[in-house]
């Protein structure tokens, strides 16, 4: 009798038992990114308490804090005019005693082509607003994955995206991750990029109106108050399970906050 094995992905050992903190590039410090950073601070503290080497985060964003960012994003009126990445990283470092870094430029091909290793990290987390930004990230990850064997060679990409009241998260591998032999599971080495798997849907998933919001009320017409928080908590929960369980049965989800409904995306 043929028994269908459950498809799973076994996490790379560089996340589970690293000698040094796991390097993370967090791209975007807006509604979702600012809340993901807070979750990473909590995760780093918890991992260290469990004997793990922890996380080393670099936050990428070249935007400044405006009135429309207050309330929905994790900023206060005292921070108006400051760079988002600098304000958030300074706050995280003061609170947790970390030495995380702020990158005050866009995460782009220039960051990779100048020979700097800043564009490379074991884990990339994107919280970006445009389809084009995702394709740029995908291109950089492919190129980075083909160069050298340095410790922060990219292994995983976690992409957040949302409309006004809906959103999604998808976990991808950068190339194939070596999998152990298993009699119980069907181990999956490659999890496709969002830009490959959903290429036809991406242009339709984002609003054509990309003009800056002039007020908090205007911003809330584009993205509801708690969609970013819900995505950040669910997405970082998936990441936490990778560290704690060492394997993934789910590689993401679709979320409709207005209907309080989520749909998991299975591995394979």
């Amino acid at each position: 009798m043929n028994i269908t094995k459950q498809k799973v992905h076994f996490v790379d050992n560089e996340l589970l038992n690293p000698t040094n903190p796991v390097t993370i590039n967090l791209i975007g410090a807006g509604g979702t990114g600012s809340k993901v950073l807070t979750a990473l601070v909590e995760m780093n503290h918890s991992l260290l308490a469990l004997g793990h080497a922890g996380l080393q985060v670099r936050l990428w964003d070249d935007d400044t804090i405006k009135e429309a960012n207050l309330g929905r994003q994790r900023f206060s009126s005292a921070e108006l005019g400051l760079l988002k990445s600098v304000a958030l990283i300074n706050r995280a470092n003061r609170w947790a005693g970390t030495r995380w870094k702020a990158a005050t430029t866009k995460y782009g091909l220039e960051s990779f082509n100048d020979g700097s290793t800043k564009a490379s990290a074991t884990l990339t987390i994107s919280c970006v607003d445009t389809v084009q930004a995702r394709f740029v990230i995908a291109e950089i990850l492919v190129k980075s994955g083909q160069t050298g064997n340095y410790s922060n060679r990219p292994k995983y990409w976690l992409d957040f995206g949302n409309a006004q009241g809906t959103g999604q998260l998808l976990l991808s591998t950068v190339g194939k991750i070596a999998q152990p032999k298993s009699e119980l599971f069907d181990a999956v080495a490659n999890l496709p990029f969002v830009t490959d798997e959903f290429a036809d849907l991406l242009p339709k998933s984002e609003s054509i109106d990309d003009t800056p919001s002039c007020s908090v009320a205007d911003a809330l017409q584009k993205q509801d108050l708690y969609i970013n928080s819900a995505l950040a908590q669910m997405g970082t929960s998936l990441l936490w399970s990778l560290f704690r369980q060492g394997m993934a049965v789910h590689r993401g989800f679709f979320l409709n906050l207005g209907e309080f409904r989520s749909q998991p995306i299975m591995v394979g």
Side-chain angles (χ1 to χ4, degrees):
M1 181 176 64
N2 292 327
I3 300 177
T4 302
K5 296 181 180 179
Q6 184 176 32
K7 292 183 180 294
V8 304
H9 173 77
F10 290 99
V11 179
D12 191 276
N13 195 56
E14 193 165 332
L15 266 68
L16 302 180
N17 298 296
T19 303
N20 300 305
V22 176
T23 53
I24 296 178
N25 273 330
L26 175 55
I27 306 169
T32 302
S34 61
K35 295 176 175 64
V36 168
L37 183 72
T38 300
L40 292 177
V41 170
E42 299 166 345
M43 191 180 301
N44 178 65
H45 184 86
S46 301
L47 287 171
L48 291 173
L50 293 169
H52 189 277
L55 310 174
Q56 179 60 40
V57 178
R58 185 181 300 273
L59 176 61
W60 296 76
D61 201 302
D62 67 340
D63 197 11
T64 56
I65 302 166
K66 303 174 182 64
E67 186 74 30
N69 303 142
L70 306 184
R72 193 177 59 81
Q73 300 182 21
R74 195 140 288 172
F75 302 109
S76 71
S77 57
E79 296 170 319
L80 288 172
L82 298 179
L83 286 159
K84 290 182 177 180
S85 56
V86 173
L88 288 172
I89 287 295
N90 283 344
R91 193 188 310 161
N93 286 340
R94 287 195 300 269
W95 186 84
T98 49
R99 294 184 179 180
W100 293 359
K101 304 297 182 181
T104 58
T105 59
K106 285 185 180 296
Y107 182 87
L109 289 171
E110 297 81 5
S111 304
F112 175 78
N113 293 331
D114 66 3
S116 170
T117 59
K118 294 179 181 179
S120 297
T122 301
L123 172 64
T124 297
I125 303 176
S126 54
C127 308
V128 295
D129 296 328
T130 67
V131 171
Q132 182 58 34
R134 289 184 172 86
F135 281 99
V136 170
I137 291 168
E139 183 177 354
I140 292 174
L141 290 178
V142 169
K143 290 182 177 180
S144 299
Q146 297 170 346
T147 59
N149 292 309
Y150 44 83
S151 60
N152 61 339
R153 185 172 183 173
K155 298 290 181 67
Y156 293 97
W157 178 15
L158 202 62
D159 178 67
F160 290 85
N162 70 281
Q164 183 181 19
T166 60
Q168 72 284 331
L169 170 88
L170 194 69
L171 172 70
S172 306
T173 60
V174 182
K176 293 183 178 181
I177 303 297
Q179 299 288 286
K181 293 182 179 179
S182 174
E183 296 182 0
L184 297 176
F185 302 105
D186 181 5
V188 178
N190 181 65
L191 307 177
F193 281 3
V194 61
T195 49
D196 294 329
E197 190 171 12
F198 299 108
D200 294 336
L201 299 177
L202 279 175
K204 304 174 185 177
S205 67
E206 295 172 318
S207 171
I208 298 175
D209 180 13
D210 61 353
T211 55
S213 301
C214 297
S215 67
V216 175
D218 186 21
L220 290 171
Q221 294 299 316
K222 299 178 181 179
Q223 296 186 51
D224 203 17
L225 182 58
Y226 291 112
I227 182 63
N228 304 108
S229 298
L231 284 170
Q233 290 298 306
M234 291 180 67
T236 51
S237 179
L238 186 148
L239 178 59
W240 173 247
S241 71
L242 297 184
F243 282 111
R244 296 298 292 142
Q245 299 175 13
M247 57 184 287
V249 176
H250 305 96
R251 54 184 292 254
F253 57 84
F254 295 102
L255 176 66
N256 186 321
L257 195 58
E259 299 178 2
F260 300 103
R261 177 167 49 86
S262 63
Q263 176 64 44
I265 302 172
M266 308 298 290
V267 168

